[in-house]
Amino acid sequence: MHSFTQALVLGMAAAATAYPRSGRIMKRDTCILDTVIDPATSTEVAASINQWFSDVTTVNSFLNDVASGAQGLGTSIQQRASSVFVSAADEPCQLKTLSSISDLQGVTDAFTCAVSDLEDVFELHVLDNLQNIINNPNSTSVVTAAVQDINNFRCCNVLPDASILWLDAADDSGISNQVPTCAPREDACSSITCQPSCALDNGVFGSSVSSC
Ligand SMILES: *[C@@H]1O[C@H](CO)[C@@H](O)[C@H](O)[C@H]1NC(C)=O
């Protein structure tokens, strides 16, 4: 586990470099909650998981409104997608926090797979698609294709991956009964059939990508 001395040494090492951070906190324009490198306390881990959960539910609500027809096109979807983009762009900030837990007990293949999968797919299949919607809010075909691709990659990759990270990080910090350990799915996941990109810690793939 972390000790106060360890945190102090890490803080001093960071101060001695030219990185634009103060101590373990990395400030980026796109973060709602700043990344904490090597989070030392369970409070920091909990804050990161709770923020990521909140980001996920904001994106889910948008995708559900598009699927149900409640979300129109034009200025309405442009503004909504811009605001959803802010939440989505925060998710990599929390990924960076959770993936930097250096003393994660028995880091698993599932954890490593989930981090690397998110780094591969998130920008291309979530952020870039949201940007396409913002740039082409009047185009039914652009919006439909973008939302379909977001749904495919959130249901099969992003949300199962996030669930692995939340559970492992929460377990390691002894807070798995205090924070969400499964990322809620948007409605569209119930009609998407796929094998999640990363196997769970027990070596098997989750039987369902459609719900927690
Ligand atoms: C979308 O359509 C509206 C009204 O027809 C128009 O004012 C607006 O400029 C269009 N937006 C884009 C990005 O093409």
Side-chain angles (χ1 to χ4, degrees), residues 2 4 14 24 26 29 40 43 45 50 55 65 67 77 95 100-101 131 133 136 172 178 196 204:
H2 290 285
F4 177 66
R24 295 171 300 115
M26 287 185 68
D29 292 349
T43 307
V45 173
N50 284 326
D55 297 336
D65 284 350
I77 199 168
L95 168 61
S100 77
I101 303 176
Q131 191 62 55
I133 296 171
N136 303 279
D172 185 65
Q178 294 163 42
V204 302

Side-chain angles (χ1 to χ4, degrees), residues 85 88-90 92 121-132:
F85 189 96
D90 176 73
V121 307
F122 194 78
E123 183 163 355
L124 190 60
H125 294 285
V126 178
L127 295 181
D128 287 1
N129 277 318
L130 286 172
Q131 191 62 55
N132 278 344

Side-chain angles (χ1 to χ4, degrees), residues 4-27:
F4 177 66
T5 316
Q6 244 181 326
L8 208 73
V9 168
L10 285 167
M12 283 162 61
T17 70
Y19 292 107
R21 55 162 112 142
S22 93
R24 295 171 300 115
I25 316 295
M26 287 185 68
K27 294 204 172 293

Side-chain angles (χ1 to χ4, degrees), residues 2 7 10 20 52 62 75 79 82 90 95 115 123 178 194 208 212:
H2 290 285
L10 285 167
W52 196 341
F62 168 65
T75 308
Q79 288 174 350
S82 301
D90 176 73
L95 168 61
V115 170
E123 183 163 355
Q178 294 163 42
C194 55
S208 166
C212 284

Side-chain angles (χ1 to χ4, degrees), residues 9 11 46 57 103 112 117 174:
V9 168
T57 58
D103 70 340
T112 307
D117 191 46

Side-chain angles (χ1 to χ4, degrees), residues 74 78 134-138:
Q78 191 175 45
I134 294 166
N135 295 345
N136 303 279
N138 294 333

